[in-house]
Amino acid sequence: IVAVLLNRPFRGRGFCRALVALPIIVSSGVLMQVFKEDLFRSSIESKTVFQGIILEASLQKMGLSDELIETLTKMVSSVLDLIWLSGIQILIFVGGMQSIPRSLMEVCEVEGATPWQAFWRVTFPLISPFLLLNIVYAIIDSFTTPTNKVIIKINEYFNNTLYSSATTMSMVYFILVLFIVGIASAIISRRVFYIDK
């Protein structure tokens, strides 16, 4: 959705694209923690909806169940993390949308297709190779994030000079990730559409 919005012409589009690219430029986990602390420190004063306590109180006034309230507050509180982790994927999708020939979109307009139909009949099939790339990237990124328990354990072994255990665990983990990426690629590549074919 963000990539579709960033592909549309509007005032300040370059700034918004740079804002989405900020996580790529500043990809340190320490800086991410500082940004989050600053954001939530300022939100305490301004009482925004992203503050969990206020959202929870508002949902309780609506009479929702505790399980639903907990799920919704977790989703809202993880929006910043989700956007932060999606920067590369968004930029890949924007690049994919810009590679779609303008003539195809003009044909859609001439034939009277709605923007919704043009997206599902033209844009989505043509960005399917970028979707495959993003899924492979997301799988690898999720398995190698510094907060991953296996990565933490491997680092502990390396720091404690248990090199044989760390190397063995690393190789087994690498083969597991490679297997999962291979299965995902095999399944998704069946649906990928290439304009040259």
Side-chain angles (χ1 to χ4, degrees):
I1 294 171
V2 174
V4 170
L5 293 175
L6 288 176
N7 197 40
R8 291 240 182 263
F10 61 89
R11 189 180 298 268
R13 182 173 69 169
F15 174 75
C16 291
R17 286 182 179 176
L19 199 60
V20 169
L22 185 66
I24 302 164
I25 299 165
V26 188
S27 60
S28 167
V30 175
L31 288 173
M32 172 63 178
Q33 194 62 32
V34 169
F35 285 148
K36 283 173 65 175
E37 287 173 6
D38 285 345
L39 175 75
F40 288 113
R41 191 177 302 123
S42 65
S43 71
I44 290 171
E45 298 159 2
S46 60
K47 304 288 186 193
T48 63
V49 75
F50 289 100
Q51 194 175 350
I53 299 165
I54 294 170
L55 178 64
E56 191 173 330
S58 301
L59 293 174
Q60 283 176 344
K61 287 179 184 176
M62 294 175 154
L64 299 176
S65 68
D66 290 338
E67 294 84 19
L68 183 60
I69 291 172
E70 183 180 345
T71 303
L72 290 174
T73 52
K74 282 182 182 177
M75 287 171 59
V76 169
S77 64
S78 65
V79 165
L80 181 65
D81 291 331
L82 181 64
I83 292 173
W84 190 269
L85 294 172
S86 302
I88 292 175
Q89 292 92 326
I90 291 169
L91 291 179
I92 289 173
F93 276 134
V94 169
M97 287 181 199
Q98 290 180 348
S99 69
I100 297 173
R102 180 70 191 135
S103 59
L104 292 177
M105 301 313 285
E106 289 172 358
V107 168
C108 289
E109 290 173 13
V110 168
E111 293 295 326
T114 64
W116 182 258
Q117 291 169 328
F119 176 79
W120 287 109
R121 302 286 182 181
V122 176
T123 305
F124 190 76
L126 292 178
I127 63 168
S128 60
F130 299 96
L131 179 65
L132 174 63
L133 175 66
N134 276 337
I135 289 174
V136 168
Y137 175 81
I139 291 170
I140 293 172
D141 191 45
S142 67
F143 276 102
T144 58
T145 184
T147 57
N148 188 319
K149 292 181 181 179
V150 177
I151 298 295
I152 292 170
K153 185 58 90 175
I154 290 170
N155 287 334
E156 282 178 16
Y157 284 164
F158 272 118
N159 292 335
N160 294 328
T161 64
L162 300 170
Y163 297 121
S164 60
S165 299
T167 305
T168 304
M169 186 179 282
S170 299
M171 291 304 296
V172 169
Y173 193 60
F174 169 74
I175 291 168
L176 174 70
V177 172
L178 191 65
F179 179 72
I180 292 171
V181 166
I183 289 174
S185 297
I187 292 170
I188 297 167
S189 63
R190 294 179 183 170
R191 295 300 221 168
V192 171
F193 174 79
Y194 294 101
I195 198 165
D196 295 338
K197 290 185 177 181

